[in-house]
Amino acid sequence: MTHNGPVNLSRSSSPSRHLPRPSSEKDLEAPHNAQHGVQQLSDQASDAPPDGGYGWVCVVATALINAHTWGINSSYGVFLGYYLTHNVIPNTSALAYAFIGGLSISQAMLIAPLATWVVQKYGTKVCLHLGIFFQTLSLIGASFAKLKYQLILAQGLCFGYGMGFLFVGSVGIAAQWFLKKRSLANAIAAAGSGMGGLMYSLATQAMIDSVGLGWAFRILGILSCAVNLTCANLLRDRNRQVGARHNPFDVQLLKRPEFCLLQGWSFFSMLGYVVVIFSLPNYAVSVGLSAKQGSIVAALLNVGQMVRLSFQGYIRAMLIKFSSWDVL
């Protein structure tokens, strides 16, 4: 006989009858929360700066990029001394020649917001390779310059754009790899500019004397392209791990007095730096020294800059270390 009545589910042998019921919804969420917490700790550990390792490769690469951007720019004083003592481009005043060196640094600063946007939009590699392209183009182009506007476009504008893209793309990478040794790493990377100024102040004068102005430009262009291209491909940023945000221009910073004071200090210190670094070789010639001796004077100035940056980074690292001991 068939039974057409309702089935009594309470007497069925379902496996769920033998499982303990959770006392609350929190008991169900507890394993998930614990797993999520472990994952967060694991992510934080993996995102922490390694304080060494491949970071030292990035430090050396950044130092070499600084040597082949700011260092080559520091040798403009040697070029300026040559321009003022030789009729390189007819009907060009001393003021026009001096303007070219300052123009390159100003363009490096002015291009920074655009370079920051490129890093944000397309990544660090694109920004660095743009800088290599502009700087190589500027030095090779300057070797063929026959008119004043050509030299201004090449050695002034174009070189400044290349230096700006390379500087913005590389300046923050070394710090992303270090925590306790960050000051020391930044100092070593920045000291590359002084090292480059030392090398290229002497090398530029030697090349001009031996192979002429045009080939001096071409050699600098080929050499800087090779070194910067190698270093750009070796650099690895940690923008994702550190949560870096690239804001091309933050207007709100202008409302902060400390920021405006810092910018004022940077403006006047850079003004003094440019005047000295570019005019020193020519001043040495004007007081009776030879062009070669003038390049040595410029090289010694860059030696001081290199030593200062390295020593400054070491002192800052020691102060941070002592401060940590005081806290402990």
Side-chain angles (χ1 to χ4, degrees):
M1 179 182 294
T2 59
H3 180 66
N4 296 325
V7 178
N8 188 358
L9 296 177
S10 63
R11 297 180 63 86
S12 64
S13 58
S14 173
S16 61
R17 294 178 60 200
H18 307 288
L19 295 176
R21 296 183 177 180
S23 58
S24 65
E25 293 182 359
K26 292 182 179 180
D27 294 338
L28 289 173
E29 296 176 356
H32 173 72
N33 291 338
Q35 184 179 4
H36 182 65
V38 172
Q39 182 65 34
Q40 281 185 328
L41 291 175
S42 177
D43 293 341
Q44 291 175 0
S46 62
D47 293 345
D51 236 10
Y54 196 82
W56 291 116
V57 176
C58 295
V59 169
V60 174
T62 304
L64 288 174
I65 288 176
N66 286 333
H68 291 80
T69 50
W70 294 100
I72 291 179
N73 187 73
S74 297
S75 69
Y76 183 75
V78 176
F79 286 108
L80 180 61
Y82 184 83
Y83 293 153
L84 295 177
T85 54
H86 297 74
N87 190 23
V88 178
I89 298 177
N91 301 321
T92 302
S93 65
L95 182 61
Y97 284 130
F99 173 74
I100 294 173
L103 181 64
S104 64
I105 292 184
S106 70
Q107 296 310 299
M109 302 294 108
L110 289 174
I111 204 69
L114 177 60
T116 305
W117 178 83
V118 170
V119 173
Q120 178 188 14
K121 187 73 174 178
Y122 301 105
T124 302
K125 297 289 187 184
V126 174
C127 183
L128 292 172
H129 285 92
L130 278 173
I132 296 168
F133 169 76
F134 280 114
Q135 181 168 315
T136 306
L137 180 65
S138 73
L139 292 170
I140 300 299
S143 69
F144 296 101
K146 300 298 182 183
L147 299 174
K148 179 169 63 175
Y149 82 91
Q150 294 172 345
L151 194 63
I152 291 174
L153 288 176
Q155 201 173 8
L157 288 173
C158 201
F159 188 88
Y161 295 153
M163 187 165 59
F165 276 111
L166 281 164
F167 175 71
V168 171
S170 63
V171 67
I173 293 180
Q176 296 177 347
W177 287 87
F178 295 89
L179 187 60
K180 295 180 181 179
K181 302 175 183 177
R182 182 174 295 169
S183 296
L184 181 61
N186 282 333
I188 295 173
S193 60
M195 178 184 67
L198 165 65
M199 294 188 305
Y200 286 114
S201 292
L202 299 174
T204 299
Q205 186 63 54
M207 287 187 289
I208 291 175
D209 293 338
S210 59
V211 297
L213 180 64
W215 272 106
F217 273 124
R218 293 177 197 121
I219 293 171
L220 287 176
I222 295 170
L223 184 61
S224 65
C225 178
V227 174
N228 287 335
L229 190 60
T230 302
C231 293
N233 290 324
L234 287 174
L235 282 176
R236 298 178 187 172
D237 65 62
R238 303 183 75 249
N239 291 334
R240 183 185 59 83
Q241 291 89 337
V242 302
R245 295 179 297 174
H246 297 89
N247 190 352
F249 194 82
D250 190 356
V251 182
Q252 297 301 319
L253 288 174
L254 299 176
K255 299 179 181 179
R256 301 177 60 177
E258 61 272 20
F259 175 79
C260 295
L261 289 173
L262 177 63
Q263 293 306 305
W265 172 82
S266 299
F267 174 84
F268 287 107
S269 62
M270 184 62 73
L271 181 64
Y273 165 80
V274 170
V275 170
V276 173
I277 199 71
F278 288 165
S279 63
L280 196 57
N282 183 65
Y283 176 75
V285 173
S286 69
V287 296
L289 299 180
S290 66
K292 183 178 181 179
Q293 291 172 326
S295 67
I296 294 174
V297 172
L300 290 175
L301 176 63
N302 284 283
V303 169
Q305 180 180 348
M306 181 176 61
V307 173
R308 175 187 64 83
L309 289 170
S310 302
F311 186 72
Q312 176 181 326
Y314 176 77
I315 294 297
R316 289 179 61 187
M318 293 300 296
L319 290 175
I320 292 174
K321 184 177 181 179
F322 291 147
S323 299
S324 301
W325 288 348
D326 292 341
V327 172
L328 294 176

